Structure formats: structure tokens, C-alpha cells
Amino acid sequence: MTMTSTVLQRPTATATTTTVEKQAAKATATTARRSRSTMAWSHEKLRFSCIDNIGLKQLWKLIALDTATPPAEKSGNVEHQQPKATSNCNNNTNTENALELSAPATPLLLEQQQTQSKPHGWMQLSGHPESIVPTSSGIVRKRIAGIEDSEVLAYQQISQEPKTSQIVPAYFGLRELQGQHYIELQDLLAGFKDPCVMDIKLGSRTFLESEVSNQTLRPDLYQKMIAVDASAPTPAEHEAQAVTKLRYMLFRESLSSSHTKGFRIEALRLRGRAPLKDLKTCRSSEQISQTIEQFLAARRSVQKELLKRLKHMRLVIEQSAFFNRHEIIGSSLFIVYDDHRMGAWLIDFAKSRQLPPHLCVNHRSPWQPGNREEGLLHGMDELIHAFEEVYARSSSHRSCLKI
């Protein structure tokens, strides 16, 4: 029997409490014109075996360095406006470690939360625990610093490009509640049932140049470095017992596949299982292939449609005026699928920065201080290649079975 699925459409936003209602209405109208498509799915049984956290010894050391839980942020009256959920998930604490040095911290993904306002089955998408508030209407509210926040500007500009707006969450505008500003975005998990989810950080550089401009030698970062790898510092750094923030950040990137491949698998969730978030040190080609194979569970229909989607996204980015004029730091590729549908989007634009008029980037060239290259498309190239290898390996395996 052939099963079909409909590509998720943007939900209609009904809230009207700020002066940006026209932007929200325009985004919704644009979404209504999206075409629907169908996709055939195979009935192969999902194979969900546990993924070995290969090479996490160093990461465990990092986690041990800092187990302080950041204070919870108040979210105004947002929660009081949402219906109570019936979820009985346990609260998980949100901890920062040596890998989460930059501000804002690298997203801690897919963390199950128990909050009265959160719909059943909700999983924390990114950011600190209370930075994203889901509603019951297929919309999430993400806390921002203000109306001039970089993420606001990014979504406003992207929403003006019909093709580019199709590869990111739908943007419904701004909302202000008790003096706190939020952007309203499409809930990417809406409509999925017990899905498999993967978050992949894109880019060879996941920190802004402005974050590492200070050349002050820092003993605290030296201590974090030697706690992970005592041989990492140079003789001069050992003598000074201190390193710069840039030096530490480059060391941090080298622990994952970000530096070599332009992407790293941040976290994933398999059907019926708790999220796996300690995957930053999954960096070799073989480790990455094994992780992708476990995630896709031999679902060739998913593999085929996902490859098609990733190649389309890459083409859109290459042709986008927004991406041609912006440095994109810390954005992620969010992939989700269940038995009936799949989706992939580019998320997180808090660190997107418009380039000076005299600069241009191709998102593939190596980074040198001042050139603002971050390797976004280099990461897409490598990621597509990794998925293609898994797909080819799956095809070869099926051919052998037929002989």
C-alpha cells in the first residue's frame, strides 16, 4: 500500500497585540500559497539500536568542569495564556560546560520539559529552557532582546524572499508581553507523531569575530584546555599558563567535525528514546556515517526525499540575496521525520550579521580573521556528501540481499 503525506503548511497566527500585525498577516498569506506534495513511503521496519557515544571521553571531562545550572528566566504572562498540557515528562537541568563558552550558549537540544503551558509531546528546540515557549496553535514564541535583535532582522529580510522563506521556519512577526519581546515562528514539530529528530550545527566557525577580538591571556581557559588535553597548549602557553579566547575557541572547534567538515551533529532523538545530546565529538567520517545510518534506520524513502531537500536548500542559499550579504554564525539544520512525513529547515539566526559593503563571502572559503567566512555552504556540501554515502551504502546492501 502506498502512503502519502502532505508537506506541513504554516499555521495561521491569530494573536494581534503589536504594531507588526501586518508582517504576521503577510507571512501567513505567503504560506497559504505553498504547494502541497505527496511522497510514497516504504514499509521497512525501523531499526533503532543504541548509538555508541564513540569518542566522548573528552566531552565527559568538559561536562565535569562546569555543572552550574543557569537561573531560569521569567517569561512574563506567556505561560498563563496557554492551555495546560498533560505531559508527565520529568524536568531536566540545563548545564553549560567548556564547549558552551560563547554567548549565547550553543543550543542544548531536544530537552524534554514539563511546563503547564507546553503541549503534549513538546521537546525543547534550542536555547535556554525558557527561551522558547510553544503555544497550542502550531506556533512557538522565542524570546529576543528587542525589536532590533539580529534574529528579528534576519527573519524580516528572509520573509521578503519567497524561495528563501521556504527553507526556514515560518515567521509570523513580533509580539510583546509584559515588556518582553518575542518572535513568533512555526513549531517545526507540529503534526509529527513520535518523530526522529536531528540537529546539525553548520559552519566551520561557530563564533563571531567580535567574540574573540580580545587578546588577553586567560588562565581559566588554559585550565579548561589542559583538563581535556594536557598536550594541546604550546610550550609558550604552558609557560604562561594562559591562552586567548580565540585560541581556546579554535581548540574547541577542533574537538568536533566543525573544523574539518563544516558541520557537527549536535543532538538527535530516535523514536521512543530519550534525546542523545553528547555527540559533539562524533567527528570521523565513519562515526558520522554510523550515526546517520542509525538515525535514518534504513528508510530509503526518507533518505531519498531528504537528499532532495538538502540539495534544494543549498541551491536556495547560493541564490539568496540575504545569504549573499550576511555572515551566518551558529545556525543549524533541523531534520525531523515520522512514518508519514519529513521536513528539514535552517534555524537559529541570532548570530547573523550583515556584511560591510566592501566585503562579500561565498560561505565556502577558509576563515581568516577579517574575511568573515564561516563555512556554511562548505558544511552543506560535506553533509550532503555524507548522506549520499549512506544512501549509496544502503543501495549496495539491498542489491546484495537480492542476489
Side-chain angles (χ1 to χ4, degrees):
M1 182 179 74
T2 301
M3 301 180 64
T4 60
S5 64
T6 303
V7 176
L8 288 180
Q9 303 297 306
R10 301 186 184 189
T12 303
T14 58
T16 57
T17 60
T18 66
T19 59
V20 295
E21 297 168 336
K22 293 183 179 179
Q23 293 178 345
K26 183 177 181 180
T28 305
T30 300
T31 302
R33 295 192 296 267
R34 286 189 173 183
S35 61
R36 292 177 176 266
S37 64
T38 59
M39 174 167 46
W41 295 82
S42 65
H43 289 277
E44 299 164 337
K45 185 177 294 184
L46 296 177
R47 297 180 298 140
F48 294 118
S49 59
C50 294
I51 295 178
D52 295 327
N53 290 332
I54 304 172
L56 293 178
K57 183 177 180 180
Q58 290 181 328
L59 184 62
W60 292 336
K61 290 182 180 180
L62 288 170
I63 294 173
L65 295 176
D66 188 354
T67 57
T69 303
E73 299 180 71
K74 294 182 180 180
S75 56
N77 65 353
V78 176
E79 294 185 356
H80 298 295
Q81 297 187 19
Q82 306 300 327
K84 292 186 177 181
T86 58
S87 173
N88 292 319
C89 300
N90 293 326
N91 276 331
N92 291 320
T93 57
N94 183 358
T95 60
E96 289 186 281
N97 55 50
L99 287 180
E100 315 303 339
L101 179 67
S102 59
T106 301
L108 299 177
L109 305 167
L110 312 175
E111 190 159 357
Q112 302 266 357
Q113 299 283 326
Q114 178 188 5
T115 304
Q116 288 184 342
S117 64
K118 290 181 169 63
H120 178 71
W122 166 256
M123 291 181 289
Q124 174 76 26
L125 180 63
S126 64
H128 296 294
E130 296 305 321
S131 65
I132 295 181
V133 182
T135 72
S136 59
S137 58
I139 294 175
V140 295
R141 296 186 185 124
K142 184 175 182 180
R143 183 180 291 109
I144 55 174
I147 60 175
E148 296 299 321
D149 187 274
S150 295
E151 194 149 28
V152 176
L153 300 177
Y155 276 109
Q156 287 176 343
Q157 293 180 55
I158 290 174
S159 65
Q160 301 304 309
E161 300 182 19
K163 291 183 179 180
T164 310
S165 63
Q166 302 291 312
I167 67 171
V168 302
Y171 171 65
F172 300 110
L174 287 165
R175 172 177 281 243
E176 182 178 355
L177 296 169
Q178 292 191 339
Q180 177 63 59
H181 292 90
Y182 298 84
I183 53 175
E184 294 194 328
L185 302 170
Q186 173 188 359
D187 180 356
L188 300 180
L189 294 175
F192 287 94
K193 183 177 181 181
D194 193 18
C196 297
V197 185
M198 179 178 279
D199 187 286
I200 303 169
K201 183 76 70 179
L202 291 174
S204 304
R205 172 172 59 93
T206 59
F207 55 87
L208 292 167
E209 292 186 3
S210 60
E211 294 175 333
V212 295
S213 59
N214 192 328
Q215 295 300 308
T216 302
L217 292 175
R218 293 180 53 177
D220 60 322
L221 300 184
Y222 169 80
Q223 293 298 325
K224 288 184 176 183
M225 181 183 287
I226 63 175
V228 177
D229 185 355
S231 65
T234 65
E237 290 168 344
H238 275 305
E239 184 177 354
Q241 294 192 359
V243 296
T244 65
K245 185 173 182 179
L246 174 59
R247 172 72 172 93
Y248 179 77
M249 296 295 276
L250 292 175
F251 165 74
R252 185 194 74 168
E253 303 287 31
S254 71
L255 296 178
S256 72
S257 59
S258 292
H259 179 68
T260 56
K261 296 185 178 299
F263 74 87
R264 67 171 180 250
I265 300 175
E266 287 277 291
L268 64 83
R269 178 188 181 271
L270 302 180
R271 171 177 294 181
R273 296 184 181 273
L276 292 172
K277 294 172 287 187
D278 296 338
L279 297 173
K280 294 184 181 70
T281 54
C282 174
R283 57 183 176 180
S284 73
S285 296
E286 185 60 27
Q287 289 171 341
I288 292 170
S289 292
Q290 290 177 359
T291 304
I292 292 175
E293 285 179 343
Q294 293 288 338
F295 173 68
L296 295 176
R299 296 292 293 269
R300 286 183 53 78
S301 53
V302 178
Q303 296 173 18
K304 182 178 180 180
E305 292 300 321
L306 182 54
L307 271 172
K308 184 187 301 183
R309 174 67 170 171
L310 294 181
K311 291 178 180 179
H312 170 72
M313 293 177 69
R314 178 174 62 183
L315 180 62
V316 170
I317 293 172
E318 290 173 336
Q319 298 176 345
S320 166
F322 172 83
F323 284 99
N324 285 337
R325 297 301 312 148
H326 284 78
E327 171 189 21
I328 310 297
I329 299 293
S331 291
S332 293
L333 182 68
F334 186 84
I335 302 171
V336 55
Y337 77 88
D338 60 13
D339 284 336
H340 306 287
R341 64 191 73 187
M342 65 81 60
W345 299 267
L346 196 63
I347 63 173
D348 297 338
F349 297 96
K351 289 187 178 183
S352 63
R353 297 292 186 271
Q354 185 167 346
L355 297 169
H358 66 281
L359 275 182
C360 62
V361 296
N362 58 33
H363 303 292
R364 287 188 171 98
S365 298
W367 174 66
Q368 295 178 354
N371 72 359
R372 306 289 286 272
E373 292 285 356
E374 80 298 87
L376 176 73
L377 283 173
H378 169 61
M380 285 291 288
D381 293 338
E382 291 288 337
L383 184 64
I384 289 172
H385 178 67
F387 275 94
E388 285 177 333
E389 285 191 332
V390 170
Y391 185 72
R393 187 181 305 181
S394 174
S395 300
S396 176
H397 178 66
R398 289 170 63 90
S399 297
C400 291
L401 291 178
K402 293 179 180 178
I403 297 177

